[in-house]
């Protein structure tokens, strides 16, 4: 999927990708280590929380320059 996100007053074009398997597990360990609240939430639900990687697009997609 192609999306845009706002960072520090400008917009960056990114590609969104849901992580799976070992790649997801590595990302989850990093997230849980820095944000324990996500671990608590995961324990309170029966679904696996999706982890989405956003990668800046380099295909000439437009983005808003910083002000």
């Amino acid at each position: 999927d192609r999306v845009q996100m706002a960072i520090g007053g400008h917009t960056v074009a990114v590609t969104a990708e849901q992580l799976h398997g070992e790649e997801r597990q590595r990302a989850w360990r990093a997230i849980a280590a820095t944000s324990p609240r996500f671990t608590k939430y995961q324990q309170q639900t029966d679904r696996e929380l999706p982890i989405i990687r956003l990668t800046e697009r380099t295909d000439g997609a437009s983005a808003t320059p910083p002000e």
Side-chain angles (χ1 to χ4, degrees):
D1 294 327
R2 293 182 173 193
V3 297
Q4 293 183 342
M5 57 187 250
I7 300 176
H10 69 281
T11 302
V12 177
V14 296
T15 300
E17 173 189 7
Q18 185 170 347
L19 301 183
H20 300 281
E22 182 55 35
E23 194 171 28
R24 184 199 179 280
Q25 291 304 318
R26 281 193 305 271
W28 177 254
R29 286 190 294 272
I31 292 166
T34 59
S35 299
R37 65 186 176 162
F38 285 109
T39 302
K40 183 178 178 182
Y41 180 67
Q42 179 65 71
Q43 293 168 348
Q44 295 173 345
T45 183
D46 59 352
R47 67 182 182 96
E48 181 177 86
L49 301 178
I51 298 177
I52 310 298
R53 174 176 39 218
L54 301 177
T55 306
E56 187 171 2
R57 289 173 34 200
T58 58
D59 60 2
S62 63
T64 305
E67 296 177 7

